[in-house]
Amino acid sequence: MRKPSALQAWKMLVLSLPKGIAAFVVIVAGLSASLPLSVFLIGIPLLAATLVLCRSIMVGEARFAAAWLQGKEQPADSAPPDPTAGEQQGWRSWLLSVLKDGRSYRSILFGILQLPIGIAAFTCAIVLPITAFAVLLSPIAYEVSMRLFDFDLFSNAWGLDQLLDWNLTSAHRSWIAGGVGLVFVLLLTPLLKGLGRWYAAWILSISGPEPVRRPNPEESYSGGAFAFAKETH
């Protein structure tokens, strides 16, 4: 099994914000419109449609997180829908199946909490790499500021100078900052993977396990145990 990729973790964290915004808008707008109309019964199908849409966002994000934990770049394709499902059940059966599904109600919590969690994940995914590479390029920034603008970025004495009684120049301070940035850059990979695991744990815990699809007796008869029993009889 391949190890989770730091780049895929970064993409997952960045995409968590737009998905969180979409889920928040869907659940808030859907509940605001469907709950008052539930008195007139028209709000119940609207509520079910809202839960289905938000649940689809949650399930898609859960599959993406599970694929990342398994070292895959893309989630596995879900099982194709049964073309006879719509013929076998009407809209009332569909409505009851949606309202009885526990994932439908977990999607409400997902739609509300995913927005602040997505903001935090997006902020960490953007700020950490930018800060690490900005500090790493401190010597270059010092040279550019001195040659082009005659401005010393590291003119202030650090506490390290006073503590160790070092006579550091601005160039020395820029190279020390660059060394700190190099260490920070080397730590980016485990940091992003750790944040990705925390985010994936949240998504998988709120989405719950995948429902098990029950086999069709006709499919089992055509290529399963019934066919084998028929041949041996």
Side-chain angles (χ1 to χ4, degrees), residues 6-28:
L7 179 59
Q8 293 297 324
W10 180 82
K11 292 180 180 179
M12 182 174 60
L13 295 174
V14 170
L15 293 177
S16 63
L17 180 57
K19 293 178 181 178
I21 294 175
F24 184 81
V25 171
V26 167
I27 201 66
V28 170

PDB file of all heavy atoms in Angstrom, residues 6-28:
ATOM      1  N   ALA A   6       1.868  14.032   0.493  1.00  0.00           N
ATOM      2  CA  ALA A   6       1.749  15.367   1.080  1.00  0.00           C
ATOM      3  C   ALA A   6       1.094  16.336   0.104  1.00  0.00           C
ATOM      4  O   ALA A   6       0.350  17.231   0.511  1.00  0.00           O
ATOM      5  CB  ALA A   6       3.125  15.872   1.493  1.00  0.00           C
ATOM      6  N   LEU A   7       1.376  16.174  -1.196  1.00  0.00           N
ATOM      7  CA  LEU A   7       0.760  17.045  -2.191  1.00  0.00           C
ATOM      8  C   LEU A   7      -0.749  16.826  -2.251  1.00  0.00           C
ATOM      9  O   LEU A   7      -1.531  17.785  -2.333  1.00  0.00           O
ATOM     10  CB  LEU A   7       1.394  16.796  -3.563  1.00  0.00           C
ATOM     11  CG  LEU A   7       0.844  17.630  -4.735  1.00  0.00           C
ATOM     12  CD1 LEU A   7       1.019  19.103  -4.449  1.00  0.00           C
ATOM     13  CD2 LEU A   7       1.520  17.237  -6.030  1.00  0.00           C
ATOM     14  N   GLN A   8      -1.186  15.570  -2.207  1.00  0.00           N
ATOM     15  CA  GLN A   8      -2.615  15.278  -2.193  1.00  0.00           C
ATOM     16  C   GLN A   8      -3.262  15.781  -0.908  1.00  0.00           C
ATOM     17  O   GLN A   8      -4.422  16.221  -0.922  1.00  0.00           O
ATOM     18  CB  GLN A   8      -2.840  13.779  -2.352  1.00  0.00           C
ATOM     19  CG  GLN A   8      -2.441  13.228  -3.715  1.00  0.00           C
ATOM     20  CD  GLN A   8      -3.276  13.817  -4.838  1.00  0.00           C
ATOM     21  OE1 GLN A   8      -4.462  14.073  -4.681  1.00  0.00           O
ATOM     22  NE2 GLN A   8      -2.655  14.032  -5.981  1.00  0.00           N
ATOM     23  N   ALA A   9      -2.525  15.715   0.198  1.00  0.00           N
ATOM     24  CA  ALA A   9      -3.049  16.264   1.446  1.00  0.00           C
ATOM     25  C   ALA A   9      -3.241  17.768   1.337  1.00  0.00           C
ATOM     26  O   ALA A   9      -4.244  18.326   1.821  1.00  0.00           O
ATOM     27  CB  ALA A   9      -2.114  15.929   2.602  1.00  0.00           C
ATOM     28  N   TRP A  10      -2.288  18.440   0.687  1.00  0.00           N
ATOM     29  CA  TRP A  10      -2.402  19.887   0.491  1.00  0.00           C
ATOM     30  C   TRP A  10      -3.614  20.223  -0.381  1.00  0.00           C
ATOM     31  O   TRP A  10      -4.366  21.157  -0.083  1.00  0.00           O
ATOM     32  CB  TRP A  10      -1.123  20.415  -0.155  1.00  0.00           C
ATOM     33  CG  TRP A  10      -1.141  21.889  -0.385  1.00  0.00           C
ATOM     34  CD1 TRP A  10      -0.870  22.866   0.533  1.00  0.00           C
ATOM     35  CD2 TRP A  10      -1.448  22.564  -1.606  1.00  0.00           C
ATOM     36  NE1 TRP A  10      -0.996  24.107  -0.042  1.00  0.00           N
ATOM     37  CE2 TRP A  10      -1.345  23.949  -1.354  1.00  0.00           C
ATOM     38  CE3 TRP A  10      -1.790  22.133  -2.885  1.00  0.00           C
ATOM     39  CZ2 TRP A  10      -1.582  24.898  -2.337  1.00  0.00           C
ATOM     40  CZ3 TRP A  10      -2.033  23.073  -3.862  1.00  0.00           C
ATOM     41  CH2 TRP A  10      -1.930  24.436  -3.596  1.00  0.00           C
ATOM     42  N   LYS A  11      -3.831  19.456  -1.449  1.00  0.00           N
ATOM     43  CA  LYS A  11      -5.004  19.685  -2.295  1.00  0.00           C
ATOM     44  C   LYS A  11      -6.292  19.448  -1.527  1.00  0.00           C
ATOM     45  O   LYS A  11      -7.262  20.211  -1.670  1.00  0.00           O
ATOM     46  CB  LYS A  11      -4.946  18.760  -3.514  1.00  0.00           C
ATOM     47  CG  LYS A  11      -3.832  19.071  -4.492  1.00  0.00           C
ATOM     48  CD  LYS A  11      -3.858  18.104  -5.664  1.00  0.00           C
ATOM     49  CE  LYS A  11      -2.741  18.393  -6.653  1.00  0.00           C
ATOM     50  NZ  LYS A  11      -2.750  17.430  -7.797  1.00  0.00           N
ATOM     51  N   MET A  12      -6.323  18.408  -0.705  1.00  0.00           N
ATOM     52  CA  MET A  12      -7.520  18.112   0.072  1.00  0.00           C
ATOM     53  C   MET A  12      -7.827  19.229   1.056  1.00  0.00           C
ATOM     54  O   MET A  12      -8.991  19.617   1.230  1.00  0.00           O
ATOM     55  CB  MET A  12      -7.338  16.783   0.802  1.00  0.00           C
ATOM     56  CG  MET A  12      -8.532  16.344   1.617  1.00  0.00           C
ATOM     57  SD  MET A  12      -8.341  14.679   2.322  1.00  0.00           S
ATOM     58  CE  MET A  12      -6.865  14.917   3.334  1.00  0.00           C
ATOM     59  N   LEU A  13      -6.791  19.779   1.692  1.00  0.00           N
ATOM     60  CA  LEU A  13      -6.997  20.864   2.641  1.00  0.00           C
ATOM     61  C   LEU A  13      -7.443  22.143   1.947  1.00  0.00           C
ATOM     62  O   LEU A  13      -8.286  22.881   2.473  1.00  0.00           O
ATOM     63  CB  LEU A  13      -5.706  21.108   3.430  1.00  0.00           C
ATOM     64  CG  LEU A  13      -5.232  19.966   4.337  1.00  0.00           C
ATOM     65  CD1 LEU A  13      -3.875  20.291   4.936  1.00  0.00           C
ATOM     66  CD2 LEU A  13      -6.246  19.691   5.436  1.00  0.00           C
ATOM     67  N   VAL A  14      -6.887  22.409   0.776  1.00  0.00           N
ATOM     68  CA  VAL A  14      -7.274  23.620   0.042  1.00  0.00           C
ATOM     69  C   VAL A  14      -8.716  23.520  -0.449  1.00  0.00           C
ATOM     70  O   VAL A  14      -9.487  24.484  -0.367  1.00  0.00           O
ATOM     71  CB  VAL A  14      -6.303  23.855  -1.128  1.00  0.00           C
ATOM     72  CG1 VAL A  14      -6.820  24.955  -2.058  1.00  0.00           C
ATOM     73  CG2 VAL A  14      -4.928  24.246  -0.603  1.00  0.00           C
ATOM     74  N   LEU A  15      -9.099  22.351  -0.947  1.00  0.00           N
ATOM     75  CA  LEU A  15     -10.458  22.176  -1.471  1.00  0.00           C
ATOM     76  C   LEU A  15     -11.499  22.045  -0.365  1.00  0.00           C
ATOM     77  O   LEU A  15     -12.705  22.067  -0.674  1.00  0.00           O
ATOM     78  CB  LEU A  15     -10.511  20.931  -2.360  1.00  0.00           C
ATOM     79  CG  LEU A  15      -9.722  21.011  -3.670  1.00  0.00           C
ATOM     80  CD1 LEU A  15      -9.800  19.687  -4.418  1.00  0.00           C
ATOM     81  CD2 LEU A  15     -10.233  22.138  -4.551  1.00  0.00           C
ATOM     82  N   SER A  16     -11.069  21.912   0.876  1.00  0.00           N
ATOM     83  CA  SER A  16     -12.044  21.786   1.957  1.00  0.00           C
ATOM     84  C   SER A  16     -12.847  23.068   2.151  1.00  0.00           C
ATOM     85  O   SER A  16     -14.017  23.004   2.563  1.00  0.00           O
ATOM     86  CB  SER A  16     -11.329  21.430   3.264  1.00  0.00           C
ATOM     87  OG  SER A  16     -10.446  22.472   3.660  1.00  0.00           O
ATOM     88  N   LEU A  17     -12.262  24.224   1.834  1.00  0.00           N
ATOM     89  CA  LEU A  17     -12.986  25.485   2.007  1.00  0.00           C
ATOM     90  C   LEU A  17     -14.124  25.641   1.011  1.00  0.00           C
ATOM     91  O   LEU A  17     -15.260  25.920   1.425  1.00  0.00           O
ATOM     92  CB  LEU A  17     -12.021  26.663   1.940  1.00  0.00           C
ATOM     93  CG  LEU A  17     -12.665  28.044   2.101  1.00  0.00           C
ATOM     94  CD1 LEU A  17     -13.416  28.125   3.418  1.00  0.00           C
ATOM     95  CD2 LEU A  17     -11.624  29.144   1.998  1.00  0.00           C
ATOM     96  N   PRO A  18     -13.891  25.519  -0.312  1.00  0.00           N
ATOM     97  CA  PRO A  18     -15.053  25.630  -1.221  1.00  0.00           C
ATOM     98  C   PRO A  18     -16.122  24.578  -0.980  1.00  0.00           C
ATOM     99  O   PRO A  18     -17.317  24.862  -1.117  1.00  0.00           O
ATOM    100  CB  PRO A  18     -14.425  25.496  -2.613  1.00  0.00           C
ATOM    101  CG  PRO A  18     -13.092  24.891  -2.404  1.00  0.00           C
ATOM    102  CD  PRO A  18     -12.640  25.356  -1.064  1.00  0.00           C
ATOM    103  N   LYS A  19     -15.717  23.368  -0.617  1.00  0.00           N
ATOM    104  CA  LYS A  19     -16.714  22.347  -0.300  1.00  0.00           C
ATOM    105  C   LYS A  19     -17.474  22.693   0.976  1.00  0.00           C
ATOM    106  O   LYS A  19     -18.683  22.438   1.081  1.00  0.00           O
ATOM    107  CB  LYS A  19     -16.042  20.983  -0.165  1.00  0.00           C
ATOM    108  CG  LYS A  19     -15.472  20.456  -1.474  1.00  0.00           C
ATOM    109  CD  LYS A  19     -14.780  19.127  -1.286  1.00  0.00           C
ATOM    110  CE  LYS A  19     -14.202  18.625  -2.602  1.00  0.00           C
ATOM    111  NZ  LYS A  19     -13.468  17.343  -2.447  1.00  0.00           N
ATOM    112  N   GLY A  20     -16.776  23.281   1.939  1.00  0.00           N
ATOM    113  CA  GLY A  20     -17.453  23.699   3.159  1.00  0.00           C
ATOM    114  C   GLY A  20     -18.430  24.831   2.909  1.00  0.00           C
ATOM    115  O   GLY A  20     -19.524  24.864   3.494  1.00  0.00           O
ATOM    116  N   ILE A  21     -18.048  25.765   2.042  1.00  0.00           N
ATOM    117  CA  ILE A  21     -18.972  26.856   1.693  1.00  0.00           C
ATOM    118  C   ILE A  21     -20.203  26.312   0.988  1.00  0.00           C
ATOM    119  O   ILE A  21     -21.340  26.711   1.284  1.00  0.00           O
ATOM    120  CB  ILE A  21     -18.246  27.901   0.824  1.00  0.00           C
ATOM    121  CG1 ILE A  21     -17.137  28.588   1.632  1.00  0.00           C
ATOM    122  CG2 ILE A  21     -19.235  28.931   0.290  1.00  0.00           C
ATOM    123  CD1 ILE A  21     -16.293  29.531   0.818  1.00  0.00           C
ATOM    124  N   ALA A  22     -19.994  25.388   0.047  1.00  0.00           N
ATOM    125  CA  ALA A  22     -21.129  24.806  -0.680  1.00  0.00           C
ATOM    126  C   ALA A  22     -22.063  24.058   0.259  1.00  0.00           C
ATOM    127  O   ALA A  22     -23.293  24.205   0.193  1.00  0.00           O
ATOM    128  CB  ALA A  22     -20.607  23.883  -1.776  1.00  0.00           C
ATOM    129  N   ALA A  23     -21.510  23.239   1.154  1.00  0.00           N
ATOM    130  CA  ALA A  23     -22.347  22.485   2.086  1.00  0.00           C
ATOM    131  C   ALA A  23     -23.085  23.411   3.047  1.00  0.00           C
ATOM    132  O   ALA A  23     -24.268  23.189   3.354  1.00  0.00           O
ATOM    133  CB  ALA A  23     -21.486  21.489   2.862  1.00  0.00           C
ATOM    134  N   PHE A  24     -22.424  24.473   3.502  1.00  0.00           N
ATOM    135  CA  PHE A  24     -23.065  25.409   4.429  1.00  0.00           C
ATOM    136  C   PHE A  24     -24.217  26.148   3.756  1.00  0.00           C
ATOM    137  O   PHE A  24     -25.295  26.305   4.344  1.00  0.00           O
ATOM    138  CB  PHE A  24     -22.029  26.404   4.953  1.00  0.00           C
ATOM    139  CG  PHE A  24     -22.552  27.355   5.989  1.00  0.00           C
ATOM    140  CD1 PHE A  24     -22.655  26.960   7.311  1.00  0.00           C
ATOM    141  CD2 PHE A  24     -22.956  28.635   5.637  1.00  0.00           C
ATOM    142  CE1 PHE A  24     -23.153  27.827   8.274  1.00  0.00           C
ATOM    143  CE2 PHE A  24     -23.449  29.510   6.593  1.00  0.00           C
ATOM    144  CZ  PHE A  24     -23.552  29.110   7.911  1.00  0.00           C
ATOM    145  N   VAL A  25     -23.997  26.606   2.524  1.00  0.00           N
ATOM    146  CA  VAL A  25     -25.058  27.319   1.799  1.00  0.00           C
ATOM    147  C   VAL A  25     -26.239  26.397   1.531  1.00  0.00           C
ATOM    148  O   VAL A  25     -27.410  26.778   1.701  1.00  0.00           O
ATOM    149  CB  VAL A  25     -24.501  27.902   0.485  1.00  0.00           C
ATOM    150  CG1 VAL A  25     -25.626  28.454  -0.384  1.00  0.00           C
ATOM    151  CG2 VAL A  25     -23.494  29.002   0.784  1.00  0.00           C
ATOM    152  N   VAL A  26     -25.950  25.149   1.128  1.00  0.00           N
ATOM    153  CA  VAL A  26     -27.025  24.203   0.824  1.00  0.00           C
ATOM    154  C   VAL A  26     -27.859  23.899   2.062  1.00  0.00           C
ATOM    155  O   VAL A  26     -29.098  23.933   2.026  1.00  0.00           O
ATOM    156  CB  VAL A  26     -26.430  22.913   0.220  1.00  0.00           C
ATOM    157  CG1 VAL A  26     -27.479  21.801   0.189  1.00  0.00           C
ATOM    158  CG2 VAL A  26     -25.926  23.171  -1.186  1.00  0.00           C
ATOM    159  N   ILE A  27     -27.196  23.598   3.182  1.00  0.00           N
ATOM    160  CA  ILE A  27     -27.939  23.182   4.364  1.00  0.00           C
ATOM    161  C   ILE A  27     -28.684  24.351   4.996  1.00  0.00           C
ATOM    162  O   ILE A  27     -29.831  24.193   5.450  1.00  0.00           O
ATOM    163  CB  ILE A  27     -26.992  22.499   5.386  1.00  0.00           C
ATOM    164  CG1 ILE A  27     -27.808  21.619   6.344  1.00  0.00           C
ATOM    165  CG2 ILE A  27     -26.165  23.508   6.148  1.00  0.00           C
ATOM    166  CD1 ILE A  27     -28.461  20.451   5.687  1.00  0.00           C
ATOM    167  N   VAL A  28     -28.086  25.542   5.021  1.00  0.00           N
ATOM    168  CA  VAL A  28     -28.757  26.689   5.631  1.00  0.00           C
ATOM    169  C   VAL A  28     -29.926  27.154   4.767  1.00  0.00           C
ATOM    170  O   VAL A  28     -31.039  27.373   5.259  1.00  0.00           O
ATOM    171  CB  VAL A  28     -27.756  27.834   5.872  1.00  0.00           C
ATOM    172  CG1 VAL A  28     -28.471  29.108   6.282  1.00  0.00           C
ATOM    173  CG2 VAL A  28     -26.750  27.438   6.942  1.00  0.00           C
TER     174      VAL A  28
END
